[in-house]
């Protein structure tokens, strides 16, 4: 188990192991006879209180409560194991077949399951137990029948999701039979959820047995339910007689539930409960005379304190953007490009984050200003466009409300004025039937239209800076072209600075003035887009350009690859972070951090840039 | 572009899909016309690139060839055997000559199995095609996909990167010595540098294992790099089929031209995409009559609404389904 299950889980496991151990080996352990009336032989008094010599005391007939609690565990465990086994096996098989084969079988099964879940279980239990003499067999049959639908439902849901996964298709294309797919591909993957549910089901069986004892419907012999039920007559004067078996039963049920929940957290790992904390370090770099940059980033470093260690996805990044300009930030997944954007606005997933350096948007220090000031800048001067317009929009609210709201909150407009302006905006971003669009919900729009809506929202307060994170990566190529042209036109018309983050070099080529190439958390090359495409200096930039399939080359041209993978950002290597994958690597690259070279306009961090060493060094 | 017709089919094809129709039931008893009368073929050793945007039916066509989606009508033949007629064990047996690789390499691998068992799956089901010992064959294939090494097989999928997972998927597909590989967006989930590794690997494996490949992708640059022949699809129909270099040099269908003109940073001699395509993709539940592209085409005339264009040759081995190919 790689993930931490927590101390409670292990205490619960220990408790279950203890109960099972005592129940099995009772006879070979020095435990009193549970039915012997010890009061008669003078070994114990009636209602004797717990003591060191007799841990749980004695009951009304002078019988040892500890021995009876151990004895009572036996029917509870036997019932739990048998019922969970039967209901779990049948329910799992029914669920897997239902979720995988689907069709008529599924329809029939779901109907049966729905009906049985609507049926009052307690009534059935009482009816059956009254009709037949309560016995282990009757209890097993009734509890099993009641348990099957729960398992079937859980497994069907899990299988439904699994059957959509490509590995099931792959197995089918391989010629696997359906039985084999169920056995090899589906069952192993539902095992954990079933096991988790089984522990919780186990607890339910124990509760049900205990509850029935109160109705005088109980198994022969000693059970926890009967102990509690009988002991309650003496609850005022001798509470321990019923409280002790109650506690034992309660702890056992709790333990099974805790184990079940622990196992479930392995299936659906929730966010690690790290508190969100933001720290700021260092002092701001003063702005030089005549610098009117709308975005100014100087030596920005962002560190995330994660359970796995300290990660530094943004390392000493400096960028600047003039009004009306577009800056591309290009990098592969995990390069830290999105983290640069997050560091500007201070929006991080739940994490402990430290930022150092300077981030200024329209002259406002985004790291150190009072919350109200930076929030106002966020709301009015920064517009954001994200990769997935469907998740960026609230699915249950009309488009109109979502466009109008930020204008009312930050722009001090009346509702009617805001609506007027929303219409105008939607027209500007190229939505043909703007009036109708205002009344629609996001799911009624195509992907391209949704992205236009998020752009309209981003523009609502006339921001001076637009941050676009992979705005077209989820869109088709003809739509991508439209959205890129739209963004390009809007920032020119409005004199708005735009940051375009993308993994696709081709996207920045036609639509940005400057570009920063990011690798392993660092900007490795930075300068005018045209200049960098014509005259790339850093070996990574060159490799990235060459690995893109070129439309001007004939088909089957061999592509240049970058072997290996980027370094981990937890404890990255010293020297150049690209060294391990670089075709021109030298000893120096592995030991010395590269110094920023080039000019103020076009800079790069490479010991052996292309211009000085045009031929591959080796 | 309605693109029915089979003028582009060739005599000596290894795999033929003829007049394939795939329909799904949509909401409220509607019918989704995913693929509507699409024909294509692959000659042994050829790579056919299938391009188009979401909803064009390219993935469904691939799945229909594999019989993962049973076509509503039409036929698929492999070496003359009609796969569309087969059921049960016969189908499973015939299908092993074809293998499919999917877009999401991580979702393609069962997280609870070891790599060795995943790759061995085909042999477990069918036995070793060469009679060589199983572990030798696995080693050979793992070596071929660039994952040679002692401990790889013992590990589980989550320990590998996306690119490595795709290599494992390729290894699994190759174990049964398939004749045809159907690759559905195999590099779309990968970073460019890794994408290049996989594309080069596929070209190498194609020679080594004498594969015939159907390569489905939305990325025109990738398709150009790997394909011998390219088929452009739109809304369940074929627009244009031609040799790769011919199609990219002289795209003739209005939609092909719009697609190419939309590629960011391209240096092709085409007008801006905004002049070549307008409006939104119509719903596949109620596709336009006649040519399905007419609602977005700058050259559409009355004839396009009433008569469905059929694929016809505009040059040698260059077929276009358009009433007005000359006007572009």
């Amino acid at each position: 188990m790689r993930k931490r299950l927590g101390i409670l889980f292990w205490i619960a496991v220990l408790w279950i192991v203890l109960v099972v151990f005592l129940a099995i080996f009772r006879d070979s352990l020095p435990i009193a006879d549970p039915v012997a009336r010890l009061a008669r032989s003078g070994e114990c008094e009636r209602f004797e209180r717990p003591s060191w010599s007799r841990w749980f005391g004695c009951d009304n007939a002078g019988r040892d409560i500890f021995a009876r609690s151990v004895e009572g565990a036996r029917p509870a465990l036997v019932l739990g194991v048998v019922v969970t086994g039967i209901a779990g096996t049948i329910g799992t098989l029914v669920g897997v077949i239902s979720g995988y084969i689907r069709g008529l079988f599924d329809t029939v099964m779901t109907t049966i399951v729905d009906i049985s879940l609507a049926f009052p279980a307690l009534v059935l239990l009482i009816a059956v137990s009254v009709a037949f003499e309560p016995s282990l067999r009757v209890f097993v049959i009734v509890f099993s029948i009641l348990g099957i639908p729960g398992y079937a439902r859980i497994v069907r849901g899990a299988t439904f999701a699994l059957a959509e996964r490509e590995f099931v298709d792959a197995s089918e294309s391989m010629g696997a039979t359906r039985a084999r797919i169920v056995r090899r591909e589906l069952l192993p993957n539902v095992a954990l959820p079933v096991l988790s549910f089984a522990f919780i089901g186990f607890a339910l069986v124990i509760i049900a047995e205990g509850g029935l004892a109160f109705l005088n419907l109980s198994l022969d012999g000693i059970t926890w339910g009967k102990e509690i039920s009988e002991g309650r007559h003496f609850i005022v004067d001798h509470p321990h007689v019923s409280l002790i078996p109650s506690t034992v039963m309660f702890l056992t049920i709790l333990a099974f539930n805790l184990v079940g929940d622990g196992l479930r957290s392995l299936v659906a790992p929730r966010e690690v409960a790290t508190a969100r904390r933001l720290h700021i370090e260092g002092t701001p770099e003063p702005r030089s005379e005549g610098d009117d940059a709308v975005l100014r980033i100087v030596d920005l470093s962002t560190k995330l304190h994660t359970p796995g260690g300290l990660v530094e996805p943004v390392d000493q990044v400096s960028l600047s953007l003039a009004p009306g300009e577009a800056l591309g930030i290009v990098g592969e997944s995990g390069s830290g490009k999105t983290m640069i954007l997050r560091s500007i606005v201070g929006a991080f997933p739940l994490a402990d984050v430290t930022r150092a350096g300077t981030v200024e948007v329209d002259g406002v220090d985004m790291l150190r200003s009072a919350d109200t000031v930076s929030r106002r800048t966020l709301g009015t001067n920064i517009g954001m466009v994200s990769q997935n317009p469907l998740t960026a929009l609230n699915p249950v609210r009309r488009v109109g409300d979502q466009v109008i709201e930020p204008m009312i909150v930050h722009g001090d407009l009346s509702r009617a004025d805001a609506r007027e302006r929303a219409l105008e905006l939607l027209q500007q971003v190229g939505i043909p039937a703007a009036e109708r669009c205002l009344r629609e919900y996001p799911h009624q729009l195509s992907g391209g239209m949704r992205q236009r809506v998020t752009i309209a929202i981003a523009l609502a307060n006339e921001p001076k800076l637009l941050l676009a994170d992979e705005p077209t990566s989820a869109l088709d190529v003809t739509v991508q072209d439209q959205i890129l042209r739209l963004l390009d036109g809007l920032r020119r018309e409005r004199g708005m600075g735009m940051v375009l983050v993308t993994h696709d070099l081709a996207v920045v080529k036609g639509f940005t003035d400057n570009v920063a190439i990011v690798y392993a958390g660092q900007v490795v090359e930075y300068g005018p887009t045209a200049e960098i495409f014509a005259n790339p200096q850093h070996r990574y930039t060159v490799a990235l350009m060459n690995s893109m399939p070129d439309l001007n080359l004939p088909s089957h041209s061999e592509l240049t690859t970058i072997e290996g993978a980027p370094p981990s950002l937890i404890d990255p290597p010293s020297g150049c972070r690209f060294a391990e994958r670089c075709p021109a690597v030298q000893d120096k690259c592995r030991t010395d951090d590269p110094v920023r070279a080039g000019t103020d306009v076009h800079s790069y961090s490479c010991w052996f840039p292309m211009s000085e060493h045009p031929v591959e060094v080796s | 572009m309605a693109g029915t017709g089979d003028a582009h089919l060739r005599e000596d094809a290894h795999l033929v899909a003829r007049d394939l129709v795939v329909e799904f039931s949509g909401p409220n008893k509607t019918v989704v016309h995913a693929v509507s009368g699409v024909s294509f073929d692959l000659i042994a050793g050829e790579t056919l690139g299938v391009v188009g945007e979401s909803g064009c039916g390219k993935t469904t066509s691939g799945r229909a060839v594999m019989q993962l989606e049973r076509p509503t009508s039409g036929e698929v033949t492999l070496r003359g055997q009609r796969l569309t007629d087969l059921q049960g064990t016969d189908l499973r047996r015939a299908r092993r000559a074809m293998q499919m690789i999917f877009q999401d390499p991580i979702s393609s691998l069962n997280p609870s199995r070891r790599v060795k068992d995943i790759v061995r799956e085909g042999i477990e089901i069918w036995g070793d095609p060469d009679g060589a010992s199983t572990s030798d064959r696995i080693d050979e294939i793992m070596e071929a996909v660039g994952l040679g090494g002692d401990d790889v097989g013992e590990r589980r999928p989550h320990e590998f990167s996306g690119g490595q997972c795709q290599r494992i998927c390729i290894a699994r597909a190759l174990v049964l010595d398939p004749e045809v590989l159907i690759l559905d967006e195999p590099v779309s989930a990968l970073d460019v540098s890794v994408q290049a590794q996989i594309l080069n690997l596929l070209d190498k494996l194609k020679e080594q294992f004498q594969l015939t490949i159907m390569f489905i992708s939305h990325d025109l640059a990738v398709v150009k790099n790997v394909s011998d022949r390219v088929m452009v699809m739109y809304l369940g129909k074929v627009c244009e089929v031609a040799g790769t270099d011919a199609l990219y040099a002289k795209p003739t269908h209005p939609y092909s031209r719009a697609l190419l003109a939309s590629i960011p940073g391209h240096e092709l001699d085409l007008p801006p995409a905004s002049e070549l395509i307008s409006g939104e993709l119509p719903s596949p539940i109620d596709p336009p009559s006649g040519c399905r592209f007419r609602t977005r085409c700058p050259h559409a005339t009355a004839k396009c609404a009433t008569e469905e264009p059929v694929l016809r040759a505009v040059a040698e081995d260059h077929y276009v389904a358009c009433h007005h190919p000359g006007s572009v």
Side-chain angles (χ1 to χ4, degrees):
Chain A
M1 303 283 139
R2 284 164 295 111
K3 295 179 194 100
R4 285 174 57 86
L5 288 160
I7 185 81
L8 271 179
F9 176 85
W10 293 110
I11 293 177
V13 169
L14 209 65
W15 175 263
I16 293 172
V17 169
L18 180 73
V19 170
V20 171
F21 175 81
L22 288 174
I24 292 176
F25 297 106
R26 180 187 66 89
D27 294 334
S28 5
L29 295 168
I31 294 175
D33 182 349
V35 291
R37 290 169 184 256
L38 300 175
R40 287 188 186 163
S41 55
E43 283 173 72
C44 170
E45 285 172 37
R46 294 179 64 209
F47 300 121
E48 185 174 307
R49 299 274 156 145
S51 66
W52 279 115
S53 54
R54 203 164 289 286
W55 294 348
F56 288 6
C58 287
D59 68 1
N60 51 319
R63 294 169 301 197
D64 186 279
I65 297 180
F66 180 74
R68 294 180 74 78
S69 297
V70 171
E71 182 66 18
R74 296 183 134 195
L77 292 177
V78 168
L79 199 59
V81 168
V82 176
V83 168
T84 307
I86 294 176
T89 309
I90 298 178
T92 303
L93 285 178
V94 168
V96 163
I97 296 170
S98 204
Y100 176 51
I101 309 285
R102 306 190 187 184
L104 188 63
F105 184 86
D106 185 41
T107 314
V108 173
M109 283 324 301
T110 352
T111 313
I112 294 176
V113 165
D114 284 343
I115 291 172
S116 58
L117 285 176
F119 198 83
L122 195 65
V123 175
L124 178 72
L125 265 175
I126 296 169
V128 174
S129 309
V130 171
F132 304 90
E133 196 59 22
S135 69
L136 193 62
R137 189 185 298 164
V138 170
F139 272 37
V140 163
I141 293 173
V142 174
F143 285 0
S144 298
I145 291 174
L146 288 173
I148 291 170
Y151 288 95
R153 198 137 116 147
I154 281 202
V155 173
R156 176 181 174 273
T159 309
F160 233 80
L162 283 172
E164 302 287 321
R165 299 268 302 265
E166 284 93 339
F167 65 79
V168 174
D169 280 338
S171 192
E172 206 171 308
S173 353
M174 201 89 61
T177 58
R178 289 183 152 192
R180 187 182 174 88
I181 290 175
V182 165
R183 206 170 63 241
R184 288 297 179 85
E185 311 293 343
L186 300 174
L187 282 179
N189 284 305
V190 299
L192 202 53
V194 166
L195 195 64
S196 145
F197 188 72
F199 275 91
I200 292 164
F202 203 115
L204 286 174
V205 171
I206 300 176
I207 294 173
E209 186 276 324
L212 285 176
F214 273 75
L215 301 170
N216 275 332
L217 299 169
S218 192
L219 299 169
D220 289 339
I222 302 164
T223 71
W224 286 338
K226 257 190 333 203
E227 290 295 285
I228 301 165
S229 168
E230 286 166 13
R232 80 197 138 111
H233 302 298
F234 319 106
I235 190 81
V236 178
D237 295 329
H238 306 288
H240 74 278
V241 176
S242 66
L243 278 187
I244 285 175
S246 300
T247 309
V248 170
M249 183 170 157
F250 167 78
L251 288 177
T252 309
I253 291 166
L254 185 65
F256 274 100
N257 277 321
L258 282 174
V259 172
D261 278 342
L263 293 174
R264 188 163 55 197
S265 73
L266 291 181
V267 187
R270 273 156 278 175
E271 289 278 328
V272 185
T274 319
R276 187 200 302 259
R277 277 201 294 269
L278 294 177
H279 311 278
I280 310 296
E281 279 176 2
T283 47
E285 186 77 18
R287 171 186 287 251
S288 57
E289 198 71 23
D291 184 354
D292 64 341
V294 63
L295 173 68
R296 200 169 73 93
I297 300 178
V298 186
D299 287 339
L300 171 71
S301 291
T302 303
K303 300 188 184 87
L304 302 181
H305 307 264
T306 70
L310 183 69
V311 186
E312 195 167 352
V314 181
D315 184 22
Q316 299 278 311
V317 166
S318 299
L319 299 166
S320 171
L321 178 66
E325 266 188 7
L327 166 68
I329 299 181
V330 181
E332 296 183 272
S333 32
S335 62
K337 57 188 190 301
T338 296
M339 266 303 164
I340 296 177
L341 281 200
R342 286 180 178 276
S343 302
I344 296 172
V345 297
F348 298 96
L350 281 179
D352 191 349
V353 185
T354 305
R355 284 180 291 173
T358 309
V359 176
E360 261 182 34
V361 174
D362 194 33
V364 174
D365 183 336
M366 295 299 287
L367 303 190
R368 295 170 190 87
S369 298
D371 246 17
T372 45
V373 178
S374 60
R375 248 210 319 269
R376 175 131 198 111
T377 305
L378 268 181
T380 57
N381 278 344
I382 302 180
M384 308 257 293
V385 178
S386 68
Q387 171 167 1
N388 189 341
L390 194 55
T391 52
L393 295 171
N394 185 338
V396 298
R397 300 188 62 204
R398 289 177 202 276
V399 168
D401 295 336
Q402 300 190 53
V403 185
I404 290 167
E405 182 145 294
M407 291 191 273
I408 298 177
V409 174
H410 294 287
D412 309 321
L413 287 179
S414 74
R415 196 167 178 86
D417 289 347
R419 191 172 185 285
E420 201 55 37
R421 200 158 140 55
L423 262 181
E424 218 172 275
L425 275 171
L426 290 184
Q427 279 155 2
Q428 281 171 16
V429 298
I431 294 180
E435 184 77 40
R436 195 181 72 202
C437 179
L438 279 182
R439 291 193 305 273
E440 283 180 320
Y441 289 95
H443 71 88
Q444 293 171 292
L445 306 174
S446 69
M449 283 299 152
R450 275 181 220 133
Q451 195 58 296
R452 288 173 194 268
V453 169
T454 62
I455 292 171
I457 294 173
L459 295 177
N461 288 313
E462 310 249 334
K464 295 188 171 140
L465 175 64
L466 187 71
L467 304 177
D469 187 8
E470 301 268 12
T472 58
S473 304
L475 303 175
D476 274 320
V477 59
T478 55
V479 185
Q480 161 167 291
D481 178 72
Q482 295 166 6
I483 299 291
L484 288 174
R485 280 176 201 286
L486 173 69
L487 288 172
D488 196 51
L490 288 168
R491 62 116 175 154
R492 284 173 200 278
E493 273 165 35
R494 294 164 174 251
M496 174 175 72
M498 177 168 81
V499 178
L500 184 64
V501 171
T502 177
H503 68 282
D504 188 350
L505 265 173
V507 163
V508 296
K509 194 174 176 185
F511 297 100
T512 59
D513 305 297
N514 288 300
V515 64
I517 309 286
V518 190
Y519 184 79
Q522 298 173 328
V523 172
V524 295
E525 184 157 9
Y526 178 39
T529 311
E531 160 75 9
I532 286 186
F533 272 91
N535 198 10
Q537 291 302 317
H538 197 284
R539 301 282 163 172
Y540 175 65
T541 314
V542 176
L544 199 59
M545 285 175 179
N546 290 342
S547 62
M548 295 203 312
D550 187 342
L551 277 172
N552 296 317
L553 293 179
S555 61
H556 299 293
S557 306
E558 182 158 351
L559 299 164
T560 313
T561 61
I562 310 176
E563 294 306 328
S568 159
L569 292 179
I570 297 178
D571 204 11
S574 60
C576 173
R577 294 188 179 175
F578 186 60
E580 279 314 306
R581 307 174 74 191
C582 182
V585 64
Q586 300 290 298
D587 289 344
K588 186 183 189 183
C589 306
R590 295 205 171 90
T591 49
D592 300 359
D593 287 353
V595 174
R596 190 149 287 269
T599 63
D600 277 353
V601 180
H602 180 184
S603 63
Y604 38 87
S605 308
C606 181
W607 287 119
F608 302 97
M610 287 299 278
S611 57
E612 289 166 37
H613 305 269
V615 195
E616 306 240 312
V617 199
S618 63
Chain B
M1 93 135 77
T4 26
D6 52 13
H8 60 302
L9 298 186
R10 295 158 294 184
E11 296 269 298
D12 49 349
H14 189 70
L15 175 84
V16 186
R18 197 182 289 270
D19 217 11
L20 218 50
V21 175
V22 184
E23 291 168 353
F24 302 110
S25 46
N28 305 323
K29 309 219 160 167
T30 51
V31 175
V32 179
H33 302 269
V35 173
S36 307
V38 165
S39 303
F40 53 88
D41 58 5
L42 286 98
I43 290 176
E46 180 182 59
T47 299
L48 172 70
V50 182
V51 276
E53 297 179 281
S54 4
C56 74
K58 56 189 190 299
T59 292
T60 310
S61 299
R63 293 176 62 89
V65 168
M66 276 305 294
Q67 305 297 307
L68 282 173
E69 226 69 81
R70 298 313 292 263
T72 312
S73 68
E75 63 169 31
V76 177
T77 55
L78 178 71
R79 278 180 273 99
Q81 184 184 28
R82 283 168 61 110
L83 300 178
T84 27
D85 290 348
L86 300 178
Q87 294 289 343
T89 310
D90 293 337
L91 175 62
R92 291 200 296 114
R93 208 176 289 282
R95 193 145 66 182
R96 83 194 139 141
M98 305 186 295
Q99 288 301 316
M100 191 153 183
I101 286 166
F102 305 90
Q103 172 168 359
D104 183 347
I106 292 159
S107 177
S108 297
L109 299 173
N110 187 338
S112 60
R113 303 185 70 184
R114 285 176 307 176
V115 168
K116 186 174 72 181
D117 298 327
I118 291 173
V119 175
R120 205 212 307 269
E121 178 75 4
I123 298 181
E124 293 270 308
I125 299 171
W126 297 110
D128 193 331
D130 292 348
S133 92
T134 303
S135 64
D136 283 356
R137 173 138 185 96
I138 304 264
D139 288 348
E140 179 203 338
I141 284 173
M142 292 302 274
E143 193 67 46
V145 300
L147 283 179
D150 294 334
D151 65 327
V152 171
E154 297 300 325
R155 288 149 75 189
R156 284 176 210 275
H158 68 83
E159 296 174 55
F160 295 89
S161 68
Q164 289 171 317
C165 282
Q166 200 58 295
R167 288 173 194 262
I168 297 170
C169 293
I170 294 171
R172 167 175 62 188
L174 291 179
V175 152
L176 284 173
D177 222 351
E179 296 158 32
V180 179
L181 269 193
I182 297 173
L183 304 161
D184 186 9
E185 304 270 11
V187 295
S188 304
L190 307 176
D191 274 323
V192 252
S193 64
V194 183
Q195 167 178 303
Q197 295 171 9
I198 299 290
L199 292 176
N200 283 347
L201 174 69
L202 285 171
D203 247 13
K204 185 194 97 181
L205 294 174
K206 184 181 160 186
E207 299 288 317
Q208 190 179 343
F209 292 84
Q210 290 155 20
L211 299 166
T212 304
I213 293 178
M214 178 173 176
F215 190 101
I216 299 164
S217 175
H218 71 284
D219 187 326
L220 290 120
V222 166
V223 164
K224 175 164 186 188
N225 183 265
V226 299
S227 308
D228 302 307
R229 208 168 190 234
V230 173
M231 171 166 86
V232 182
M233 292 183 70
Y234 178 81
L235 205 60
K237 296 281 186 182
V238 179
C239 299
E240 186 162 0
V241 183
T244 306
D245 291 326
L247 192 137
Y248 282 77
K250 203 167 181 302
T252 305
H253 194 284
Y255 179 63
S256 312
R257 291 165 59 82
L259 263 186
L260 284 168
S262 300
I263 302 174
H266 73 82
E267 286 158 13
L268 304 164
D269 180 23
L270 287 167
S274 53
E275 291 173 22
L276 298 174
I277 187 167
S278 60
E280 293 257 300
L281 185 73
S283 161
I285 291 174
D286 184 22
S289 63
C291 173
R292 289 194 179 172
F293 187 59
R294 70 178 164 84
T295 55
R296 307 179 69 186
C297 180
H299 310 290
T301 58
K303 185 184 182 190
C304 302
T306 52
E307 200 179 310
E308 180 172 348
V310 172
L311 279 165
R312 57 196 165 100
V314 290
E316 201 199 333
D317 196 36
H318 192 150
Y319 300 87
V320 178
C322 177
H323 292 308
H324 312 290
S327 62
V328 298

